[in-house]
Amino acid sequence: MNFFLRMLAPAILSVWPAADSLGAPADTLRISREKCIEIALNDNPSVKVADLEVKKTDYARKELEGSLFPSIDFSLAYQRSIELQSMNMNMGGQSTTIKMGTDNNWNTGFSASMPLVNASLWKSIQISETQILAALEEARGSRIDLVNNINKAYYAMLLAIASRDVIRQNYDIAVINAEIYRKQFEQGTASEYDVLRSSVQVSNIEPELLQADIAIRQCALQLKVLMGIESETPLWPDITLRDMQREMYGLGAGFDKNISRNTSLRALDIQTRALEQNVTLKKFAWIPTLGVQFNINWNAMSNGNAFKNQKFNPYSNVALALNIPIFSGGSKYNALKQAEVQLAEMKFQREYLESNLNMQVELAIDNINKQVRQIASSEQGVKQARKAHEIMQKSFEIGAATYLDLRDSELADTSAQLAYLQAIYNYLVSTSELDALLGKEGLSATATLKQ
């Protein structure tokens, strides 16, 4: 694999498009993290699905509300007699057969019914309203998760770009050193071995540079998938990871610890409310129900042609239906007890979840505070490593240091820069994770670090 990358790297690096001051190809649109979030909240499929789920739940509530209004039906029935019913009668000592009925029977009309007293139906409508709140909270949770994922993908792309720049810097230095050895060899002050060793070092860095470019493309593709846009769309961050140091806030001081907006906790509270309403619903199963029904019909009976000489006679009635539950084999009682047990379980689950979330918040804040100290330490290490490398570079140019000494300083400088960039990335991701844990919405996951 390394051999393949070494062979391919010079060709790719030679055709790499011109870049602007942010390292983006010239024909690429630079985009901010805030704009990425805005696009994702509008186009991401998971957000659209969550919004449709809210609509579906609202329609379910309206379906239940429709049961409170009168239900009106129209019916039309036709019956053709093949053989009329016969009845034998003994009249005057003689048996007589009488056929009863008619050839054609038409029956049509309207029926209407409406519940007057139905406590279970009323409570079911309240439960459906709670289900809408649960769907809304689920949609809010989807947006919070999406914002967090967009933040992490955007920061990962910043880290990949910054890491590529560090490797590019190391590559340029290696090229300069190789050129110095080549000139020294031409002047007879360096051996051919030194020239070959410095040239090999350039070849060894080329695959790393190529892998860094691949990492940038992978991060960009992940960001595009989260945003819900075409993978061919060119985009590039409008800020660098180093610039984030001037736009970060916090430094671990005064972090909010309020978990009341945590989406899992809010969803559990809504579910608890639904279970409380379900307990009441089970109790309402013992309450009598009362309904009203009205019917108006027309009936026609005739012999012969079914469509001629039909005379429809109207008849109508109105009725009240009272249903009083008396005994159901204990099913209602057991259903009530089951609902009460579920409610008790939910209360224990909430206590456990609240305790667990508080622990996660404390651990997250401690972790962020450690990363703040790591940023300061890494920044100081970068300054020291850079100064040491500059000294060693000058010493190497005048022949006061060996190539091995120079290479050690280069590796130390590269490692220090990558560690510093990783520390900034870790801080940004951790603050975004904390915001998601606390249920903060929108663009609140922006981290700022004051120097």
Side-chain angles (χ1 to χ4, degrees), residues 44-313:
N44 186 274
S46 63
V47 173
K48 293 181 179 180
V49 170
D51 291 339
L52 290 176
E53 190 67 24
V54 174
K55 284 187 176 181
K56 185 181 74 173
T57 308
D58 184 50
Y59 285 131
R61 177 185 61 83
K62 292 179 179 179
E63 178 185 3
L64 283 175
E65 289 180 346
S67 302
L68 297 175
F69 296 92
S71 176
I72 302 175
D73 298 302
F74 171 77
S75 63
L76 173 64
Y78 168 73
Q79 177 180 324
R80 175 73 180 187
S81 298
I82 298 176
E83 181 69 28
L84 295 178
Q85 183 179 3
S86 299
M87 183 176 63
N88 293 324
M89 299 183 64
N90 192 348
M91 302 179 62
Q94 295 182 352
S95 178
T96 304
T97 302
I98 300 176
K99 292 187 176 292
M100 303 179 61
T102 58
D103 295 338
N104 306 301
N105 285 277
W106 289 91
N107 192 288
T108 185
F110 295 90
S111 63
S113 61
M114 185 180 70
L116 297 179
V117 177
N118 194 326
S120 297
L121 177 60
W122 301 336
K123 182 54 66 173
S124 297
I125 294 175
Q126 292 183 2
I127 293 178
S128 67
E129 293 174 351
T130 304
Q131 291 173 345
I132 293 179
L133 295 178
L136 288 172
E137 184 59 34
E138 184 178 354
R140 190 181 79 94
S142 297
R143 283 175 167 79
I144 292 175
D145 290 339
L146 178 62
V147 170
N148 183 33
N149 291 330
I150 287 288
N151 287 335
K152 292 191 291 185
Y154 193 86
Y155 297 148
M157 190 172 181
L158 291 180
L159 177 62
I161 294 172
S163 300
R164 195 275 306 269
D165 293 342
V166 171
I167 297 174
R168 167 69 73 174
Q169 180 184 4
N170 192 19
Y171 176 80
D172 294 339
I173 293 175
V175 171
I176 293 174
N177 291 334
E179 182 66 18
I180 292 176
Y181 264 122
R182 187 186 65 80
K183 291 181 179 180
Q184 290 179 350
F185 174 74
E186 293 175 353
Q187 296 173 0
T189 58
S191 65
E192 184 178 4
Y193 172 75
D194 293 331
V195 175
L196 293 175
R197 184 171 59 178
S198 60
S199 299
V200 169
Q201 181 59 37
V202 173
S203 300
N204 288 337
I205 300 177
E206 286 175 350
E208 297 179 8
L209 195 59
L210 180 59
Q211 290 175 346
D213 289 332
I214 294 175
I216 293 175
R217 295 189 186 97
Q218 291 175 341
C219 293
L221 181 60
Q222 181 184 8
L223 185 61
K224 294 173 188 176
V225 170
L226 291 172
M227 293 171 61
I229 63 177
E230 297 293 334
S231 59
E232 295 79 9
T233 304
L235 59 84
W236 199 266
D238 68 343
I239 193 172
T240 66
L241 194 63
R242 295 180 186 274
D243 292 336
M244 292 295 293
Q245 188 180 15
R246 293 187 292 271
E247 297 190 7
M248 296 159 58
Y249 71 86
L251 278 185
F255 276 107
D256 183 14
K257 298 182 181 181
N258 184 11
I259 62 172
S260 61
R261 294 188 60 80
N262 177 270
T263 183
S264 297
L265 190 63
R266 286 166 61 102
L268 197 64
D269 289 339
I270 294 174
Q271 190 175 357
T272 301
R273 185 191 308 177
L275 288 177
E276 291 173 348
Q277 293 173 339
N278 188 47
V279 170
T280 306
L281 177 64
K282 300 302 181 183
K283 294 178 180 178
F284 283 177
W286 278 283
I287 298 179
T289 60
L290 178 64
V292 61
Q293 185 172 5
F294 174 76
N295 295 284
I296 179 170
N297 294 275
W298 289 266
N299 179 267
M301 295 182 293
S302 65
N303 293 314
N305 194 312
F307 300 98
K308 290 184 178 180
N309 303 319
Q310 299 296 330
K311 182 179 180 181
F312 287 88
N313 300 305

